[in-house]
Amino acid sequence: MMTRNDKIKILERFENKEEKILISNILDKAYRYERENKLFHTNFLNLYELQISTKILDSLNITYYVYTPNEFADKKVIFFLPDYIQITDDFFEEYINCIKIIPNIKNKLLHKDYMGAIYSLGIRHEMIGDIFASSNFAYVFCMKNIADYLLNNLFKVANQEVILKNIPLSLDEVKNLSFNLEEKEYIIPSLRVDALLSNIYNLSRNNVKDKILAGDLYINDRNIFYPNTLIKENDIVSFKRTGKLKVGSTIRKTKSDNIVIKIFKYV
């Protein structure tokens, strides 16, 4: 069993304040779960938060369950489940909701519009999971305790009136959600992230470097400040105010030793 001393030693590894708070909260839940034999869960965790959290829980041999409401969703929730709890088809409906947003005009709103409208309500980012936006609708995963607030306060998205509906997680409509990705091959000189971004977004290397140093780059939801960082297959790369992409496989090398790589751009 984890001890308070274990927690202190683990927290000493982290210098970043936000990471320290995150891990402290998760360890507190794990500590209570082991001693009280009750259910506890986190809020939504992004890719990087999930990675560091599960690594620590594994090192402590703490049993946990990672729940994702959809196979393409990046944000997930860690549950600490006692043995006496049986997981049924509708079990997670008690903790997580899916809200469908229906605008009054089709083909007008983008992902960034929905995201901006939701966060303008003052909702903390960890309470919101993935947002799947299509040409006609958007689907937002959220923690159950803020679902009613969303339903009762979100009336417009980018000045377009919207209707909100709470829909079951078990519906095929929810299970079959996926992101709209545009697949394309690029020729890049190396697997450095600055080389990749410069080529894809037609920016100078100096411009890319400046944006990275300013904190605009995230790889797998971790803020990266080094232009020479190497990317690898399945990395999710977000470049603020520029775009988001998923790294595909390296296809081949050209005669001039450049790299042909497959990229999936979020559109």
Side-chain angles (χ1 to χ4, degrees), residues 15-259:
E15 296 181 1
N16 181 284
K17 182 180 178 181
E18 291 183 357
E19 291 177 0
K20 193 181 286 284
I21 292 172
L22 167 71
I23 297 303
S24 178
N25 288 336
I26 289 177
L27 291 178
D28 284 343
K29 294 178 189 295
Y31 183 85
R32 294 188 62 189
Y33 155 71
E34 288 197 319
R35 278 152 183 78
E36 300 175 22
N37 198 30
K38 294 180 181 179
L39 183 150
F40 292 91
H41 65 85
T42 67
N43 292 320
F44 284 102
L45 303 174
N46 65 33
L47 295 170
Y48 178 61
E49 291 168 339
L50 182 67
Q51 178 189 25
I52 60 175
S53 299
T54 54
K55 185 177 180 180
I56 288 170
L57 294 173
D58 288 340
S59 71
L60 295 169
N61 293 317
I62 295 173
T63 304
Y64 60 89
Y65 180 88
V66 177
Y67 174 73
T68 178
N70 173 281
E71 66 172 308
F72 293 100
D74 291 329
K75 294 185 177 181
K76 299 175 172 60
V77 178
I78 292 177
F79 280 82
F80 300 101
L81 298 168
D83 293 337
Y84 61 83
I85 290 181
Q86 299 295 318
I87 299 178
T88 58
D89 289 342
D90 60 352
F91 175 80
F92 294 104
E93 303 273 1
E94 294 295 319
Y95 308 96
I96 296 167
N97 284 160
C98 180
I99 294 176
K100 184 177 183 179
I101 305 177
I102 308 167
N104 63 348
I105 298 179
K106 296 181 179 180
N107 303 316
K108 289 288 185 180
L109 300 177
L110 302 174
H111 181 277
K112 65 179 182 180
D113 297 321
Y114 292 105
M115 185 169 64
I118 291 168
Y119 286 117
S120 71
L121 297 176
I123 298 173
R124 303 197 314 274
H125 70 89
E126 67 268 22
M127 306 303 289
I128 299 294
D130 289 85
I131 302 172
F132 289 81
S134 68
S135 57
N136 300 326
F137 312 108
Y139 297 82
V140 181
F141 293 107
C142 66
M143 303 307 296
K144 186 178 181 67
N145 56 357
I146 59 107
D148 285 343
Y149 180 78
L150 262 178
L151 291 167
N152 294 325
N153 289 277
L154 186 60
F155 305 109
K156 288 187 177 181
V157 174
N159 293 320
Q160 300 293 330
E161 292 185 359
V162 294
I163 297 172
L164 276 63
K165 294 182 179 180
N166 201 345
I167 59 176
L169 297 173
S170 57
L171 291 183
D172 288 341
E173 181 180 3
V174 175
K175 292 181 178 179
N176 294 332
L177 288 173
S178 62
F179 291 111
N180 188 16
L181 301 176
E182 178 184 82
E183 180 181 341
K184 192 173 179 180
E185 293 180 8
Y186 291 89
I187 300 175
I188 56 177
S190 75
L191 292 176
R192 285 175 50 137
V193 70
D194 58 346
L196 176 76
L197 295 173
S198 175
N199 187 289
I200 291 176
Y201 296 116
N202 195 28
L203 300 169
S204 71
R205 291 284 281 271
N206 282 337
N207 192 349
V208 171
K209 179 182 178 181
D210 289 343
K211 283 173 64 64
I212 292 174
L213 294 177
D216 286 354
L217 174 64
Y218 289 80
I219 299 179
N220 299 325
D221 290 325
R222 183 178 186 180
N223 206 181
I224 302 295
F225 296 91
Y226 304 102
N228 63 348
T229 301
L230 299 180
I231 51 95
K232 60 183 183 300
E233 187 174 356
N234 294 321
D235 276 348
I236 305 294
V237 180
S238 299
F239 208 31
K240 278 188 179 179
R241 295 174 293 277
T242 306
K244 181 179 179 180
L245 58 89
K246 182 176 182 178
V247 179
S249 59
T250 299
I251 300 170
R252 66 181 184 278
K253 282 196 173 184
T254 66
K255 292 181 179 178
S256 56
D257 214 31
N258 286 325
I259 299 168

